[in-house]
Structure formats: structure tokens, C-alpha cells
Coordinates of all heavy atoms in Angstrom, one line a residue:
M1 N 3.2 -14.2 -52.3 CA 4.4 -13.7 -51.7 C 4.0 -12.7 -50.6 O 4.6 -12.8 -49.5 CB 5.3 -13.0 -52.8 CG 6.5 -12.4 -52.2 SD 7.7 -13.6 -51.8 CE 9.1 -12.7 -51.4
F2 N 3.0 -11.8 -50.8 CA 2.6 -10.9 -49.8 C 2.0 -11.6 -48.6 O 2.3 -11.2 -47.4 CB 1.6 -9.9 -50.4 CG 1.2 -8.9 -49.4 CD1 2.0 -7.9 -49.0 CD2 -0.1 -9.0 -48.9 CE1 1.6 -7.0 -48.0 CE2 -0.6 -8.0 -48.0 CZ 0.3 -7.1 -47.5
R3 N 1.3 -12.7 -48.8 CA 0.6 -13.4 -47.7 C 1.7 -14.0 -46.8 O 1.6 -14.0 -45.6 CB -0.3 -14.5 -48.3 CG -1.5 -14.0 -48.9 CD -2.3 -15.1 -49.6 NE -3.2 -15.7 -48.6 CZ -4.0 -16.7 -48.9 NH1 -3.9 -17.2 -50.1 NH2 -4.8 -17.2 -48.0
R4 N 2.7 -14.6 -47.4 CA 3.8 -15.2 -46.6 C 4.5 -14.2 -45.7 O 4.8 -14.4 -44.6 CB 4.8 -15.9 -47.5 CG 4.2 -17.2 -48.1 CD 5.3 -17.9 -48.9 NE 4.8 -19.1 -49.5 CZ 5.5 -19.8 -50.3 NH1 6.7 -19.6 -50.6 NH2 4.9 -20.9 -50.9
T5 N 4.8 -13.0 -46.3 CA 5.4 -12.0 -45.6 C 4.6 -11.5 -44.4 O 5.0 -11.2 -43.3 CB 5.8 -10.8 -46.5 OG1 6.6 -11.3 -47.6 CG2 6.6 -9.7 -45.8
F6 N 3.3 -11.3 -44.7 CA 2.3 -10.9 -43.7 C 2.3 -11.9 -42.5 O 2.4 -11.5 -41.4 CB 0.9 -10.7 -44.3 CG -0.1 -10.5 -43.2 CD1 -0.2 -9.3 -42.6 CD2 -0.9 -11.5 -42.8 CE1 -1.2 -9.0 -41.7 CE2 -1.9 -11.3 -41.8 CZ -2.0 -10.1 -41.2
W7 N 2.2 -13.2 -42.8 CA 2.0 -14.2 -41.8 C 3.4 -14.3 -41.0 O 3.4 -14.6 -39.8 CB 1.5 -15.5 -42.3 CG 0.1 -15.4 -42.6 CD1 -0.5 -15.5 -43.9 CD2 -1.0 -15.2 -41.7 NE1 -1.8 -15.3 -43.8 CE2 -2.2 -15.2 -42.4 CE3 -1.1 -15.0 -40.3 CZ2 -3.4 -15.0 -41.8 CZ3 -2.3 -14.8 -39.7 CH2 -3.4 -14.8 -40.5
F8 N 4.5 -14.2 -41.7 CA 5.8 -14.3 -41.1 C 5.9 -13.1 -40.1 O 6.4 -13.3 -38.9 CB 6.9 -14.2 -42.1 CG 8.3 -14.2 -41.5 CD1 8.8 -15.4 -41.0 CD2 9.0 -13.0 -41.4 CE1 10.1 -15.4 -40.4 CE2 10.2 -13.0 -40.8 CZ 10.8 -14.1 -40.3
T9 N 5.6 -11.9 -40.5 CA 5.7 -10.7 -39.6 C 4.7 -10.8 -38.5 O 5.1 -10.5 -37.3 CB 5.4 -9.4 -40.5 OG1 6.2 -9.4 -41.6 CG2 5.5 -8.2 -39.6
A10 N 3.5 -11.3 -38.7 CA 2.5 -11.5 -37.6 C 3.0 -12.5 -36.6 O 2.9 -12.3 -35.4 CB 1.2 -11.9 -38.2
G11 N 3.6 -13.6 -37.1 CA 4.2 -14.6 -36.2 C 5.3 -14.1 -35.4 O 5.5 -14.4 -34.2
A12 N 6.2 -13.3 -36.0 CA 7.3 -12.8 -35.3 C 6.9 -11.8 -34.3 O 7.4 -11.8 -33.1 CB 8.3 -12.1 -36.3
A13 N 5.9 -11.0 -34.6 CA 5.4 -10.0 -33.6 C 4.7 -10.7 -32.4 O 4.9 -10.3 -31.3 CB 4.4 -9.0 -34.3
A14 N 3.9 -11.8 -32.7 CA 3.3 -12.5 -31.6 C 4.4 -13.2 -30.8 O 4.2 -13.2 -29.5 CB 2.4 -13.6 -32.2
G15 N 5.5 -13.7 -31.4 CA 6.5 -14.3 -30.6 C 7.2 -13.3 -29.6 O 7.5 -13.6 -28.5
V16 N 7.5 -12.1 -30.2 CA 8.1 -11.0 -29.3 C 7.2 -10.6 -28.2 O 7.6 -10.5 -27.1 CB 8.5 -9.8 -30.2 CG1 8.8 -8.6 -29.4 CG2 9.6 -10.2 -31.2
W17 N 5.9 -10.5 -28.5 CA 4.9 -10.1 -27.5 C 4.8 -11.2 -26.4 O 4.9 -10.8 -25.2 CB 3.5 -9.9 -28.1 CG 2.5 -9.6 -27.2 CD1 2.2 -8.4 -26.6 CD2 1.5 -10.5 -26.6 NE1 1.1 -8.5 -25.7 CE2 0.7 -9.8 -25.8 CE3 1.3 -11.9 -26.8 CZ2 -0.3 -10.4 -25.0 CZ3 0.2 -12.4 -26.1 CH2 -0.6 -11.7 -25.3
A18 N 4.7 -12.4 -26.8 CA 4.6 -13.5 -25.8 C 5.9 -13.6 -25.0 O 5.8 -13.8 -23.7 CB 4.4 -14.8 -26.5
T19 N 7.1 -13.5 -25.6 CA 8.3 -13.6 -24.8 C 8.4 -12.4 -23.8 O 8.8 -12.6 -22.7 CB 9.5 -13.5 -25.8 OG1 9.4 -14.5 -26.8 CG2 10.8 -13.6 -25.1
T20 N 8.0 -11.2 -24.2 CA 8.0 -10.1 -23.3 C 7.1 -10.3 -22.1 O 7.4 -10.1 -21.0 CB 7.6 -8.8 -24.0 OG1 8.4 -8.6 -25.1 CG2 7.6 -7.6 -23.1
K21 N 5.9 -10.8 -22.4 CA 4.9 -11.1 -21.3 C 5.4 -12.2 -20.3 O 5.3 -12.0 -19.1 CB 3.6 -11.6 -21.9 CG 2.8 -10.5 -22.6 CD 2.3 -9.5 -21.7 CE 0.9 -9.9 -21.3 NZ 0.2 -8.8 -20.6
V22 N 6.0 -13.2 -20.9 CA 6.6 -14.3 -20.0 C 7.7 -13.8 -19.2 O 7.8 -14.1 -18.0 CB 7.0 -15.5 -20.9 CG1 7.8 -16.5 -20.1 CG2 5.8 -16.2 -21.5
N23 N 8.6 -13.0 -19.8 CA 9.8 -12.5 -19.0 C 9.3 -11.5 -17.9 O 9.8 -11.5 -16.8 CB 10.7 -11.8 -19.9 CG 11.6 -12.8 -20.7 OD1 11.8 -13.9 -20.3 ND2 12.1 -12.3 -21.9
R24 N 8.3 -10.7 -18.2 CA 7.8 -9.8 -17.2 C 7.2 -10.6 -16.0 O 7.3 -10.2 -14.8 CB 6.7 -8.9 -17.8 CG 6.2 -7.8 -16.9 CD 5.3 -6.9 -17.6 NE 5.9 -6.2 -18.7 CZ 5.3 -5.8 -19.8 NH1 4.0 -6.0 -19.9 NH2 6.0 -5.2 -20.8
K25 N 6.4 -11.7 -16.3 CA 5.8 -12.5 -15.3 C 6.8 -13.2 -14.4 O 6.7 -13.3 -13.2 CB 4.8 -13.5 -15.9 CG 3.9 -14.1 -14.9 CD 3.2 -13.1 -14.1 CE 1.7 -13.3 -14.1 NZ 1.0 -12.4 -13.2
I26 N 7.9 -13.7 -15.1 CA 9.0 -14.3 -14.4 C 9.7 -13.4 -13.4 O 10.0 -13.7 -12.3 CB 10.0 -14.9 -15.4 CG1 9.4 -16.2 -16.0 CG2 11.3 -15.3 -14.7 CD1 10.2 -16.7 -17.2
R27 N 9.9 -12.1 -13.9 CA 10.5 -11.2 -13.0 C 9.6 -10.8 -11.8 O 10.0 -10.6 -10.7 CB 10.9 -9.9 -13.8 CG 12.3 -9.9 -14.3 CD 12.6 -8.5 -14.9 NE 12.3 -8.6 -16.3 CZ 11.4 -7.7 -16.9 NH1 10.9 -6.8 -16.3 NH2 11.2 -7.9 -18.2
Q28 N 8.3 -10.8 -12.1 CA 7.3 -10.4 -11.0 C 7.3 -11.6 -10.0 O 7.0 -11.3 -8.8 CB 5.9 -10.3 -11.7 CG 4.9 -9.7 -10.8 CD 3.6 -9.5 -11.5 OE1 3.3 -10.2 -12.5 NE2 2.8 -8.5 -11.1
L29 N 7.5 -12.8 -10.4 CA 7.4 -13.9 -9.5 C 8.8 -14.3 -8.9 O 8.9 -15.4 -8.2 CB 6.8 -15.1 -10.1 CG 5.3 -14.9 -10.6 CD1 4.8 -16.2 -11.4 CD2 4.4 -14.7 -9.4
A30 N 9.8 -13.6 -9.1 CA 11.1 -13.8 -8.6 C 11.1 -13.6 -7.0 O 10.3 -12.8 -6.5 CB 12.2 -12.9 -9.2
P31 N 11.9 -14.4 -6.3 CA 11.9 -14.2 -4.8 C 12.1 -12.8 -4.3 O 11.5 -12.4 -3.4 CB 13.0 -15.2 -4.4 CG 13.1 -16.1 -5.4 CD 12.8 -15.4 -6.7
E32 N 13.0 -12.1 -5.0 CA 13.3 -10.7 -4.5 C 12.1 -9.8 -4.7 O 11.7 -9.0 -3.9 CB 14.5 -10.1 -5.3 CG 15.8 -10.8 -5.1 CD 15.9 -12.0 -6.1 OE1 15.2 -12.1 -7.1 OE2 16.7 -12.9 -5.8
S33 N 11.4 -10.0 -5.8 CA 10.2 -9.2 -6.1 C 9.1 -9.5 -5.1 O 8.4 -8.6 -4.6 CB 9.7 -9.4 -7.5 OG 8.5 -8.7 -7.8
L34 N 8.9 -10.8 -4.9 CA 7.9 -11.2 -3.9 C 8.1 -10.7 -2.5 O 7.2 -10.2 -1.8 CB 7.7 -12.8 -3.9 CG 7.1 -13.4 -5.2 CD1 7.2 -14.9 -5.0 CD2 5.8 -12.9 -5.4
A35 N 9.4 -10.7 -2.1 CA 9.8 -10.2 -0.8 C 9.5 -8.7 -0.7 O 9.1 -8.2 0.3 CB 11.3 -10.5 -0.5
A36 N 9.9 -7.9 -1.8 CA 9.6 -6.5 -1.8 C 8.1 -6.2 -1.7 O 7.7 -5.3 -1.0 CB 10.2 -5.9 -3.1
Q37 N 7.3 -7.0 -2.5 CA 5.9 -6.8 -2.4 C 5.3 -7.0 -1.0 O 4.5 -6.3 -0.5 CB 5.2 -7.7 -3.4 CG 5.4 -7.3 -4.9 CD 4.8 -8.3 -5.8 OE1 4.1 -9.2 -5.4 NE2 5.1 -8.2 -7.1
A38 N 5.8 -8.1 -0.4 CA 5.4 -8.4 1.0 C 5.8 -7.3 2.0 O 5.0 -7.0 2.9 CB 6.0 -9.8 1.4
A39 N 7.0 -6.8 1.8 CA 7.5 -5.7 2.7 C 6.6 -4.5 2.5 O 6.2 -3.8 3.5 CB 8.9 -5.4 2.4
D40 N 6.3 -4.1 1.3 CA 5.5 -3.0 1.0 C 4.1 -3.1 1.6 O 3.6 -2.2 2.2 CB 5.4 -2.7 -0.5 CG 6.7 -2.2 -1.1 OD1 7.5 -1.8 -0.3 OD2 6.8 -2.3 -2.3
K41 N 3.5 -4.3 1.5 CA 2.2 -4.6 2.1 C 2.2 -4.5 3.6 O 1.3 -4.1 4.2 CB 1.6 -5.9 1.6 CG 1.2 -5.8 0.1 CD 0.6 -7.1 -0.4 CE 0.2 -7.0 -1.8 NZ -0.4 -8.1 -2.4
A42 N 3.3 -5.0 4.2 CA 3.4 -5.0 5.6 C 3.5 -3.5 6.1 O 3.0 -3.2 7.2 CB 4.7 -5.8 6.1
V43 N 4.3 -2.7 5.4 CA 4.4 -1.3 5.8 C 3.0 -0.6 5.7 O 2.6 0.1 6.6 CB 5.4 -0.5 4.9 CG1 5.3 1.0 5.1 CG2 6.8 -1.0 5.2
V44 N 2.3 -0.9 4.7 CA 0.9 -0.3 4.5 C 0.0 -0.8 5.6 O -0.8 0.0 6.2 CB 0.3 -0.6 3.1 CG1 -1.1 -0.3 3.0 CG2 1.1 0.1 2.0
A45 N 0.1 -2.1 6.0 CA -0.8 -2.6 7.0 C -0.4 -2.0 8.4 O -1.2 -1.7 9.2 CB -0.6 -4.1 7.1
G46 N 0.9 -1.7 8.6 CA 1.4 -1.1 9.8 C 0.8 0.3 10.0 O 0.4 0.7 11.0
H47 N 0.8 1.1 8.8 CA 0.2 2.4 8.8 C -1.3 2.4 9.2 O -1.8 3.2 9.9 CB 0.5 3.1 7.5 CG 1.9 3.6 7.3 ND1 2.4 4.6 8.0 CD2 2.8 3.2 6.4 CE1 3.7 4.8 7.6 NE2 3.9 3.9 6.6
R48 N -2.0 1.4 8.6 CA -3.4 1.3 8.8 C -3.7 1.0 10.3 O -4.6 1.5 10.9 CB -4.0 0.3 7.9 CG -4.1 0.8 6.5 CD -4.8 -0.3 5.6 NE -4.8 0.3 4.2 CZ -5.1 -0.5 3.2 NH1 -5.4 -1.8 3.4 NH2 -5.2 0.0 2.0
I49 N -2.9 0.0 10.8 CA -3.1 -0.3 12.2 C -2.8 0.8 13.2 O -3.6 1.1 14.1 CB -2.2 -1.6 12.6 CG1 -2.8 -2.8 11.9 CG2 -2.2 -1.8 14.1 CD1 -1.9 -4.0 12.0
K50 N -1.8 1.6 12.9 CA -1.4 2.7 13.7 C -2.6 3.8 13.6 O -3.0 4.3 14.7 CB -0.1 3.4 13.2 CG 0.3 4.6 14.1 CD 1.5 5.2 13.5 CE 1.0 6.4 12.8 NZ 1.8 7.2 12.1
D51 N -3.1 4.1 12.4 CA -4.1 5.0 12.3 C -5.4 4.5 13.0 O -6.1 5.3 13.7 CB -4.5 5.3 10.8 CG -3.4 6.0 10.1 OD1 -2.6 6.7 10.8 OD2 -3.4 6.0 8.9
F52 N -5.7 3.2 13.0 CA -6.8 2.7 13.7 C -6.7 2.8 15.2 O -7.6 3.3 15.9 CB -7.0 1.2 13.3 CG -8.1 0.5 14.1 CD1 -9.4 0.8 13.9 CD2 -7.8 -0.4 15.1 CE1 -10.4 0.2 14.6 CE2 -8.8 -1.0 15.9 CZ -10.1 -0.7 15.6
A53 N -5.5 2.6 15.7 CA -5.2 2.7 17.2 C -5.4 4.1 17.6 O -5.9 4.4 18.7 CB -3.8 2.2 17.5
L54 N -4.9 5.1 16.8 CA -5.0 6.5 17.1 C -6.5 6.9 17.1 O -7.0 7.7 18.0 CB -4.3 7.4 16.2 CG -2.7 7.3 16.3 CD1 -2.0 8.1 15.2 CD2 -2.3 7.7 17.6
D55 N -7.3 6.4 16.1 CA -8.7 6.7 16.1 C -9.4 6.1 17.3 O -10.3 6.8 17.9 CB -9.3 6.1 14.8 CG -9.0 6.9 13.6 OD1 -8.4 8.0 13.7 OD2 -9.2 6.4 12.5
V56 N -9.1 4.9 17.7 CA -9.7 4.3 18.8 C -9.4 5.1 20.1 O -10.2 5.4 21.0 CB -9.2 2.8 19.0 CG1 -9.6 2.3 20.4 CG2 -9.8 2.0 17.9
R57 N -8.1 5.5 20.3 CA -7.7 6.3 21.4 C -8.5 7.6 21.5 O -8.9 8.1 22.5 CB -6.2 6.5 21.4 CG -5.7 7.3 22.6 CD -4.2 7.4 22.6 NE -3.6 6.1 23.0 CZ -2.4 5.8 22.9 NH1 -1.5 6.7 22.4 NH2 -1.9 4.6 23.2
E58 N -8.6 8.3 20.3 CA -9.3 9.5 20.3 C -10.8 9.3 20.6 O -11.4 10.1 21.4 CB -9.2 10.2 18.9 CG -9.9 11.5 18.7 CD -9.8 12.0 17.3 OE1 -8.8 11.6 16.6 OE2 -10.7 12.8 16.9
G59 N -11.4 8.3 20.1 CA -12.8 8.0 20.4 C -13.0 7.7 21.9 O -14.0 8.1 22.5
M60 N -12.0 7.0 22.5 CA -12.1 6.6 23.9 C -12.0 7.9 24.7 O -12.8 8.1 25.7 CB -11.0 5.7 24.3 CG -11.2 4.3 23.9 SD -9.8 3.1 24.2 CE -8.9 3.9 25.5
A61 N -11.1 8.8 24.4 CA -11.0 10.1 25.2 C -12.3 10.9 25.0 O -12.8 11.5 26.0 CB -9.8 10.9 24.7
R62 N -12.8 11.0 23.8 CA -14.1 11.7 23.6 C -15.2 11.1 24.4 O -16.0 11.9 25.0 CB -14.4 11.8 22.1 CG -15.5 12.7 21.7 CD -15.9 12.7 20.2 NE -14.8 12.7 19.4 CZ -14.6 11.8 18.4 NH1 -15.4 10.7 18.3 NH2 -13.6 11.8 17.6
R63 N -15.4 9.8 24.3 CA -16.5 9.2 25.1 C -16.3 9.4 26.5 O -17.2 9.5 27.3 CB -16.5 7.7 24.7 CG -17.7 7.0 25.3 CD -19.0 7.5 24.9 NE -20.1 6.7 25.5 CZ -21.2 7.2 25.8 NH1 -21.5 8.4 25.5 NH2 -22.1 6.4 26.4
E64 N -15.0 9.2 27.0 CA -14.8 9.4 28.5 C -15.2 10.8 28.9 O -15.8 11.0 30.0 CB -13.3 9.1 28.8 CG -13.0 9.2 30.2 CD -11.5 8.8 30.5 OE1 -10.9 8.2 29.6 OE2 -11.1 9.2 31.6
A65 N -14.9 11.8 28.1 CA -15.2 13.2 28.4 C -16.8 13.4 28.4 O -17.3 14.0 29.3 CB -14.6 14.2 27.4
E66 N -17.4 12.7 27.4 CA -18.9 12.8 27.4 C -19.5 12.2 28.7 O -20.4 12.7 29.2 CB -19.5 12.0 26.2 CG -19.2 12.7 24.8 CD -19.6 11.9 23.6 OE1 -20.1 10.8 23.8 OE2 -19.4 12.3 22.5
L67 N -19.0 11.0 29.0 CA -19.5 10.3 30.3 C -19.2 11.1 31.5 O -20.0 11.2 32.4 CB -18.9 8.9 30.4 CG -19.4 7.9 29.3 CD1 -18.6 6.6 29.5 CD2 -20.9 7.7 29.5
G68 N -18.0 11.7 31.6 CA -17.6 12.6 32.7 C -18.5 13.8 32.8 O -19.0 14.2 33.9
E69 N -18.9 14.3 31.6 CA -19.8 15.5 31.6 C -21.1 15.1 32.1 O -21.8 15.8 32.8 CB -19.8 16.1 30.2 CG -20.6 17.4 30.1 CD -20.6 17.9 28.7 OE1 -19.5 18.0 28.1 OE2 -21.7 18.2 28.2
A70 N -21.6 13.9 31.6 CA -23.0 13.5 32.0 C -23.0 13.2 33.4 O -24.1 13.4 34.1 CB -23.3 12.3 31.1
L71 N -22.0 12.7 34.0 CA -22.0 12.3 35.4 C -21.5 13.4 36.4 O -21.6 13.3 37.6 CB -21.0 11.1 35.7 CG -21.5 9.8 35.0 CD1 -20.4 8.7 35.2 CD2 -22.8 9.3 35.6
G72 N -21.1 14.5 35.7 CA -20.7 15.7 36.5 C -19.3 15.6 37.1 O -18.9 16.2 38.0
I73 N -18.5 14.7 36.5 CA -17.1 14.5 36.9 C -16.3 15.4 36.0 O -16.4 15.3 34.7 CB -16.7 13.1 36.8 CG1 -17.6 12.2 37.6 CG2 -15.2 12.9 37.2 CD1 -17.3 10.7 37.4
E74 N -15.4 16.2 36.6 CA -14.5 17.0 35.7 C -13.3 16.2 35.3 O -12.6 15.6 36.2 CB -14.1 18.3 36.5 CG -15.3 19.2 36.7 CD -14.8 20.6 37.1 OE1 -13.7 21.0 36.8 OE2 -15.6 21.3 37.7
A75 N -13.0 16.2 34.1 CA -11.8 15.5 33.5 C -10.9 16.6 32.9 O -11.3 17.6 32.5 CB -12.3 14.5 32.4
P76 N -9.6 16.3 32.9 CA -8.7 17.2 32.3 C -9.0 17.4 30.8 O -9.5 16.5 30.1 CB -7.3 16.6 32.5 CG -7.6 15.1 32.7 CD -8.9 15.1 33.4
D77 N -8.7 18.6 30.3 CA -9.0 18.9 28.9 C -8.2 18.0 27.9 O -8.8 17.5 27.0 CB -8.6 20.3 28.6 CG -9.6 21.3 29.2 OD1 -10.7 20.8 29.6 OD2 -9.2 22.4 29.4
T78 N -7.0 17.8 28.2 CA -6.1 16.9 27.3 C -5.5 15.9 28.2 O -4.5 16.2 28.8 CB -5.1 17.7 26.5 OG1 -4.3 18.4 27.4 CG2 -5.7 18.7 25.5
P79 N -6.0 14.7 28.2 CA -5.4 13.7 29.1 C -4.0 13.3 28.6 O -3.7 13.3 27.4 CB -6.3 12.5 29.0 CG -7.1 12.7 27.7 CD -7.2 14.2 27.5
A80 N -3.1 13.2 29.5 CA -1.7 12.9 29.2 C -1.5 11.4 28.9 O -2.1 10.6 29.4 CB -0.7 13.3 30.3
L81 N -0.6 11.1 27.9 CA -0.3 9.8 27.6 C 0.9 9.3 28.4 O 1.6 10.2 29.0 CB 0.0 9.7 26.1 CG -1.2 10.0 25.2 CD1 -0.7 10.0 23.7 CD2 -2.3 9.0 25.4
P82 N 1.2 8.0 28.4 CA 2.4 7.6 29.2 C 3.7 8.2 28.7 O 4.6 8.5 29.5 CB 2.4 6.1 28.9 CG 1.0 5.7 28.5 CD 0.4 6.9 27.9
G83 N 3.8 8.7 27.5 CA 5.0 9.3 27.0 C 5.0 10.8 27.4 O 6.0 11.5 27.2
G84 N 3.9 11.3 27.9 CA 3.9 12.7 28.3 C 3.4 13.7 27.3 O 3.2 14.8 27.5
G85 N 3.0 13.2 26.1 CA 2.5 14.0 25.0 C 1.0 14.2 25.1 O 0.3 13.5 26.0
P86 N 0.4 15.0 24.3 CA -1.0 15.2 24.3 C -1.7 13.9 23.7 O -1.1 13.1 23.1 CB -1.3 16.4 23.4 CG 0.0 16.4 22.5 CD 1.1 15.9 23.3
A87 N -3.0 13.8 24.0 CA -3.8 12.7 23.6 C -4.0 12.6 22.1 O -4.1 11.5 21.5 CB -5.1 12.6 24.3
T88 N -4.0 13.7 21.4 CA -4.3 13.6 20.0 C -2.9 13.8 19.3 O -2.1 14.6 19.6 CB -5.2 14.8 19.5 OG1 -4.6 16.0 19.9 CG2 -6.6 14.7 20.1
H89 N -2.7 12.9 18.3 CA -1.5 12.9 17.5 C -1.8 13.4 16.1 O -2.8 12.9 15.5 CB -0.9 11.5 17.5 CG -0.6 11.0 18.8 ND1 0.5 11.5 19.5 CD2 -1.1 10.1 19.6 CE1 0.6 10.8 20.7 NE2 -0.4 10.0 20.8
P90 N -0.9 14.2 15.5 CA -1.1 14.5 14.1 C -0.8 13.3 13.3 O 0.0 12.5 13.6 CB -0.1 15.6 13.8 CG 1.0 15.4 14.9 CD 0.3 14.8 16.1
T91 N -1.6 13.1 12.2 CA -1.4 12.0 11.3 C -0.2 12.4 10.4 O -0.2 13.4 9.7 CB -2.7 11.8 10.5 OG1 -3.8 11.5 11.3 CG2 -2.5 10.6 9.6
L92 N 0.7 11.5 10.3 CA 1.9 11.7 9.5 C 1.5 11.4 8.0 O 0.7 10.6 7.8 CB 3.0 10.7 10.0 CG 3.5 10.9 11.4 CD1 4.5 9.9 11.7 CD2 4.1 12.3 11.6
P93 N 2.2 12.1 7.1 CA 1.9 11.8 5.7 C 2.4 10.5 5.3 O 3.5 10.0 5.8 CB 2.6 12.9 5.0 CG 3.7 13.4 5.9 CD 3.1 13.2 7.3
Y94 N 1.7 9.7 4.5 CA 2.1 8.4 4.1 C 2.8 8.5 2.8 O 2.3 9.1 1.8 CB 0.8 7.5 3.9 CG 1.1 6.2 3.3 CD1 1.9 5.2 4.0 CD2 0.7 5.9 2.0 CE1 2.2 4.1 3.4 CE2 1.0 4.7 1.5 CZ 1.7 3.8 2.2 OH 2.0 2.6 1.6
H95 N 4.0 8.0 2.7 CA 4.8 7.9 1.5 C 5.1 6.5 1.2 O 5.8 5.8 1.9 CB 6.1 8.7 1.6 CG 5.9 10.2 1.9 ND1 5.4 11.0 1.0 CD2 6.0 10.8 3.1 CE1 5.3 12.2 1.5 NE2 5.7 12.1 2.8
S96 N 4.6 6.0 0.1 CA 4.8 4.6 -0.3 C 6.2 4.5 -0.9 O 6.6 5.3 -1.8 CB 3.8 4.2 -1.3 OG 4.1 2.9 -1.9
Y97 N 7.0 3.5 -0.5 CA 8.2 3.3 -1.1 C 8.2 2.0 -1.8 O 8.2 0.9 -1.2 CB 9.4 3.3 -0.1 CG 10.7 3.0 -0.7 CD1 11.3 3.9 -1.5 CD2 11.3 1.8 -0.4 CE1 12.5 3.6 -2.1 CE2 12.6 1.5 -1.0 CZ 13.2 2.4 -1.8 OH 14.4 2.1 -2.4
N98 N 8.2 2.0 -3.1 CA 8.1 0.8 -3.9 C 9.5 0.5 -4.5 O 10.0 1.2 -5.3 CB 7.1 1.0 -5.1 CG 6.9 -0.3 -5.8 OD1 7.6 -1.3 -5.6 ND2 5.9 -0.3 -6.7
R99 N 10.1 -0.6 -3.9 CA 11.5 -0.9 -4.4 C 11.6 -1.3 -5.8 O 12.6 -1.3 -6.4 CB 12.0 -2.0 -3.4 CG 12.2 -1.6 -2.1 CD 12.7 -2.7 -1.2 NE 12.1 -2.4 0.1 CZ 11.8 -3.3 1.0 NH1 12.0 -4.6 0.7 NH2 11.3 -3.0 2.1
N100 N 10.4 -1.7 -6.4 CA 10.5 -2.2 -7.8 C 10.7 -1.0 -8.7 O 11.1 -1.2 -9.8 CB 9.2 -2.9 -8.1 CG 9.1 -4.2 -7.4 OD1 10.1 -4.8 -7.1 ND2 7.9 -4.7 -7.2
E101 N 10.4 0.2 -8.3 CA 10.6 1.4 -9.1 C 12.1 1.7 -9.3 O 12.4 2.5 -10.1 CB 9.9 2.6 -8.5 CG 8.4 2.4 -8.6 CD 7.6 3.5 -7.8 OE1 8.3 4.4 -7.2 OE2 6.4 3.5 -7.8
D102 N 12.9 1.2 -8.4 CA 14.3 1.5 -8.5 C 15.0 0.7 -9.6 O 16.1 1.1 -10.0 CB 15.0 1.1 -7.2 CG 14.6 2.1 -6.0 OD1 14.1 3.1 -6.3 OD2 14.9 1.7 -4.9
H103 N 14.4 -0.3 -10.1 CA 15.1 -1.2 -11.0 C 14.5 -1.0 -12.4 O 13.4 -0.7 -12.7 CB 14.9 -2.7 -10.7 CG 15.4 -2.9 -9.3 ND1 16.8 -2.9 -9.0 CD2 14.8 -3.2 -8.1 CE1 17.0 -3.2 -7.7 NE2 15.8 -3.3 -7.1

């Protein structure tokens, strides 16, 4: 009698566990979830590209100053950008927004 109860309970627990795993995977592969994941990855990629572009711009300004100094050409201390701002930009804090946390 005890063996039957044990195996019945073990089978029921395994069934609940498997059902939970399958439902979680189905929700994860739903079109809305996939779209949210893609949007989050696109935002992260955009931040990385922006940071890379700022690093390249800063390196270019630094190298231009080095070359100007080596050639004896005087360059402005902070070259102006097309927008009128300084050449160095403060890095904005990155805040990940995961839409899956809302549900």
C-alpha cells in the first residue's frame, strides 16, 4: 500500500513539474514575448553603438590634437560639434526596461 501511494505521489509531482515547464516555455515562445525580447536587444545594441561612436569621436579628437602638437599646428582645446556642444559627451546611465517583468 505504501509503495503505491509513493509512486502515485511521485507521478503526480512529476506531472505538475512537467506541465509547469511546458507552460513556461510556451509563454516564452509566444509572439509577444519574442517581440519584447527583440526590442530589448535592439535597445541594448543601440546603446552599445552610441557608446562606440562616442569613443571613436573622442579618440579621433585626441589623435588629432596629438598630430597637431607634433606638427606644431595649434588646435582649439574643445572642438565644436555640428550641434554646437563640446566634443566630449557624458555617458548616460543605462536602464534596462524588461517588459516581461510587468506581467
Side-chain angles (χ1 to χ4, degrees):
M1 178 73 174
F2 179 72
R3 290 174 86 182
R4 288 184 183 177
T5 305
F6 171 77
W7 287 113
F8 177 77
T9 305
V16 167
W17 177 79
T19 303
T20 303
K21 292 289 268 187
V22 168
N23 285 335
R24 188 176 299 152
K25 192 55 130 175
I26 287 173
R27 269 188 268 122
Q28 191 178 29
L29 295 176
E32 298 85 19
S33 178
L34 292 175
Q37 290 174 11
D40 290 340
K41 288 182 181 182
V43 168
V44 170
H47 285 293
R48 287 183 180 167
I49 290 171
K50 184 187 101 186
D51 290 341
F52 174 73
L54 292 175
D55 288 344
V56 168
R57 182 175 285 170
E58 180 183 335
M60 285 176 20
R62 188 181 319 120
R63 183 64 179 149
E64 186 176 342
E66 290 173 2
L67 290 174
E69 185 179 312
L71 296 174
I73 303 171
E74 292 196 22
D77 290 338
T78 56
L81 296 176
T88 58
H89 298 287
T91 303
L92 299 176
Y94 171 69
H95 299 287
S96 173
Y97 177 69
N98 187 352
R99 292 179 213 150
N100 292 333
E101 293 173 357
D102 293 343
H103 303 290

